[in-house]
Amino acid sequence: MMNFEEALAVTEERLLGEADSMGALLKGLRNLISPALIGETEWENLLDVARELPPTMAAFPFGFELSLNERRPRADLGLSVVGGSAPAAFFEEKARSENADPSTTGIARLLAESEPDDSPLRQVAGRKMMLEFDVGRATGGSRPDPGIFLRPAERPIVGDGADQRLLDIGVMLEAVLTAVGWSPDAAERREVERVHLAQKADTHIESIGAFPSRERAIRLAVIGFRTSSGVMAFLKRAGWPGRHSVVAETMARFEKRWGVVELGVHLDVHADGLGPTLGLSCLAKERRAKDPSHWLDRPNLWTGFFESLREDGLAVPEKLSALANWSPGPTTLFGMFGPFVLLRGIHHIKLVLAGDRIEQVKAYPFMVLIGTPKS
């Protein structure tokens, strides 16, 4: 049986033979993605972005951000870059060119910072970063630089009060700011640290990121909540300025029907405090990166959740029906130079609350391709 490194090498080599770009590779997967989720025009826009990226990015989890309450079938694109991989080499080489854009330079700088074994960043976040491309925000032919996110996968930043956690937050925050071209801000860092200190020991920071093409804010995700009361207590300690009663009413309305295993909170952190918009993510299974079943979703895992959204009129029915068929289990695809196993799942669903209402309902379905030995 191949180990991870051997399997990755096979997959990357196979993908290079399948397509000359991530866009060309995605084009061949179109029949697996319902037009109800991503329309034809929106799909072409997404391919335009993906054509500038290498096909080997499909060897790592990639996926889409879908707005379920909006009838327009548009999607943003999310991908992973891991140090030492073929996609990492692509960005490193591109950054050495004379006309390298700031985004590519920032990604390459992050890769270099996390390369040494004793690197403080590597010890906390490993060698992985996530990129989110705002496909739907492109205007006048220009494409916004992707958001860059880091996760403390190697040393979780839990709410146990340890001094090391604050140091780790500083390392990750500085790395993200440097990558997106922003200067450090002491007040902003204090706010991120304050949110961390509002955690209890059973929750942890899931990610720290930023979108260089949007209004400045640190995007902070905290997950591990098991009950709505735990979420409400955290928001109160963190000083979230939005309407707490709306959050409480929303969760009380759905908590018994959803069958949610884990809840997460997504906050916009500014130098002068937290933004009023709140993301509430719902996971139907625990996501642990070192768990071999991490990328395997059971069919019907989200059925009860989708029915709740449908009953309350919070999502377009056609989109829910299409998503219900997203996770059929491992699927074998036959490429030009050998077979792949395609894994699909839904990472989480996010409710975005603003003011006195649920403003958006977003889904985050993913895919990953694994090259298998030829028989």
Side-chain angles (χ1 to χ4, degrees), residues 91 93-105:
F91 283 102
E93 181 179 355
K94 191 176 178 182
R96 289 192 287 269
S97 66
E98 293 183 0
N99 58 347
D101 59 85
S103 174
T104 300
T105 302

Side-chain angles (χ1 to χ4, degrees), residues 1 9 22 67 74 82 124 128 155 174 192 204 236 242 250 261 271 283 315 323 330 336 361:
M1 180 179 293
M22 187 66 182
S67 179
R74 71 173 189 87
V82 179
V124 180
K128 180 179 180 180
R155 194 158 59 211
E174 183 176 347
V192 173
H204 61 278
K236 183 176 181 179
T250 299
V261 171
L283 293 85
L323 269 184
M336 291 185 291
V361 180

Side-chain angles (χ1 to χ4, degrees), residues 296-314:
L296 293 174
D297 271 4
R298 301 185 309 273
N300 305 320
L301 184 66
W302 290 91
T303 300
F305 195 104
F306 290 161
E307 286 304 314
S308 296
L309 294 177
R310 191 189 305 271
E311 290 171 10
D312 286 77
L314 291 175

Side-chain angles (χ1 to χ4, degrees), residues 124-333:
V124 180
R127 303 184 70 186
K128 180 179 180 180
M129 73 186 80
M130 284 70 64
L131 308 179
E132 184 173 328
F133 292 84
D134 283 337
V135 178
R137 290 173 180 254
T139 57
S142 64
R143 298 194 183 101
D145 290 333
I148 298 179
F149 292 79
L150 295 175
R151 288 177 176 161
E154 298 300 315
R155 194 158 59 211
I157 301 178
V158 297
D160 60 1
D163 293 341
Q164 182 64 50
R165 313 302 180 205
L166 294 176
L167 295 175
D168 290 347
I169 286 174
V171 168
M172 290 184 63
L173 182 59
E174 183 176 347
V176 167
L177 292 176
T178 301
V180 300
W182 292 349
S183 300
D185 186 310
E188 189 178 64
R189 175 170 175 170
R190 285 194 296 270
E191 284 299 307
V192 173
E193 292 175 341
R194 189 178 61 78
V195 173
H196 159 66
L197 293 173
Q199 291 188 96
K200 295 295 187 182
D202 56 349
T203 64
H204 61 278
I205 291 178
E206 167 71 356
S207 64
I208 296 176
F211 285 91
S213 299
R214 300 188 194 179
E215 175 190 2
R216 177 161 178 158
I218 302 302
R219 310 288 169 149
L220 193 66
V222 179
I223 71 168
F225 300 98
R226 306 292 175 175
T227 63
S228 59
S229 60
V231 172
M232 298 309 304
F234 167 75
L235 292 177
K236 183 176 181 179
R237 292 192 301 270
W240 178 62
R243 296 186 59 179
H244 290 224
S245 60
V246 175
V247 181
E249 290 167 8
T250 299
M251 289 193 295
R253 194 164 83 237
F254 297 122
E255 190 171 25
K256 293 182 179 179
R257 293 185 289 159
W258 277 356
V260 168
V261 171
E262 194 171 3
L263 295 166
V265 170
H266 301 254
L267 299 163
D268 293 339
V269 184
H270 305 275
D272 59 353
L274 300 180
T277 301
L278 175 74
L280 181 66
S281 63
C282 309
L283 293 85
K285 63 179 286 189
E286 290 188 88
R287 301 285 180 185
R288 295 293 179 261
K290 298 184 185 300
D291 181 353
S293 66
H294 180 69
W295 300 113
L296 293 174
D297 271 4
R298 301 185 309 273
N300 305 320
L301 184 66
W302 290 91
T303 300
F305 195 104
F306 290 161
E307 286 304 314
S308 296
L309 294 177
R310 191 189 305 271
E311 290 171 10
D312 286 77
L314 291 175
V316 177
E318 293 82 0
K319 290 189 175 185
L320 291 176
S321 297
L323 269 184
N325 298 316
W326 183 268
S327 308
T331 304
T332 300
L333 302 178

